[in-house]
Amino acid sequence: LGSIFDTIARQTETYQFWKLVYRFLYAFGDSRIYADLMQTLWRFALGFAIALVCAVVVGVLMGRIKRIENALIDTVRFLRPIPSAAIIPLAMLVISGIGNPLRIFVIAYGVFWPLLIHIYQASKDIDQALIDTGRTLGKTRMQIFRGIVLRAILPAIMTSSRIGLAIGLLLGVTS
């Protein structure tokens, strides 16, 4: 009777599922996989952080200062449509090689554009009355940036970060 139940249990989907999980975990028993995974995640995190900082700075400057917007908007319109994977051969020539700097650059390049567009638009849409109110209350530029501008663009940063995370992970595996 026990062997009948054993035979039935082996045929169930649950058994097959746990067998698959066991094989998957057994494959991850090799320490090289963990090292490669951590290196990919490190590249991704560094590229994402670089893109986020650059996008916030450039996006706020473009959105708040008209001369900077006029100077950079054509460059943004030219570079943004270039696929991130297509930039790899050019980056190999400029950065010399296929090491970590190239991969981090490709991730940062791909993540930068959705972040920049959302942050630029959000900082451009800030009501000027809020800025004027801050100036009237005697706030410094840094206090206005932290208290008004940064709080106004935070939803755009979060939304575009979610998009950038997906792009960055794909590029981390691709590059």
Side-chain angles (χ1 to χ4, degrees):
L1 191 62
S3 64
I4 295 172
F5 286 120
D6 231 9
T7 307
I8 294 172
R10 289 183 187 269
Q11 302 304 321
T12 63
E13 291 134 6
T14 306
Y15 176 77
Q16 296 298 326
F17 171 75
W18 288 113
K19 187 176 172 183
L20 179 68
V21 168
Y22 173 76
R23 286 183 181 171
F24 181 75
L25 292 176
Y26 182 75
F28 272 94
D30 185 16
S31 62
R32 181 169 165 82
I33 292 176
Y34 288 119
D36 292 342
L37 180 65
M38 292 310 292
Q39 191 171 20
T40 299
L41 290 176
W42 175 80
R43 286 183 204 128
F44 161 71
L46 190 58
F48 184 81
I50 290 169
L52 182 63
V53 169
C54 292
V56 168
V57 170
V58 174
V60 169
L61 288 175
M62 282 179 65
R64 301 304 310 156
I65 302 171
K66 190 69 171 167
R67 286 191 311 197
I68 294 178
E69 177 187 12
N70 291 337
L72 294 178
I73 196 69
D74 290 332
T75 306
V76 170
R77 288 180 183 154
F78 175 73
L79 292 175
R80 188 178 60 87
I82 299 173
S84 303
I87 204 78
I88 294 173
L90 179 63
M92 285 173 64
L93 293 174
V94 174
I95 298 177
S96 71
I98 56 171
N100 281 336
L102 170 75
R103 294 174 180 152
I104 292 168
F105 171 76
V106 169
I107 292 168
Y109 177 84
V111 172
F112 176 77
W113 299 113
L115 290 170
L116 176 69
I117 298 302
H118 281 92
I119 292 168
Y120 159 66
Q121 194 60 47
S123 64
K124 193 173 182 177
D125 290 342
I126 296 174
D127 189 12
Q128 188 61 35
L130 294 173
I131 306 293
D132 293 340
T133 302
R135 286 190 190 135
T136 302
L137 293 173
K139 303 291 182 184
T140 63
R141 287 182 185 228
M142 186 54 77
Q143 289 173 330
I144 290 173
F145 174 75
R146 280 194 336 242
I148 298 171
V149 174
L150 193 58
R151 289 184 184 179
I153 66 171
L154 197 57
I157 292 173
M158 296 309 228
T159 302
S160 60
S161 292
R162 193 173 73 180
I163 297 167
L165 285 172
I167 292 171
L169 284 173
L170 288 173
L171 288 172
V173 173
T174 303
S175 66

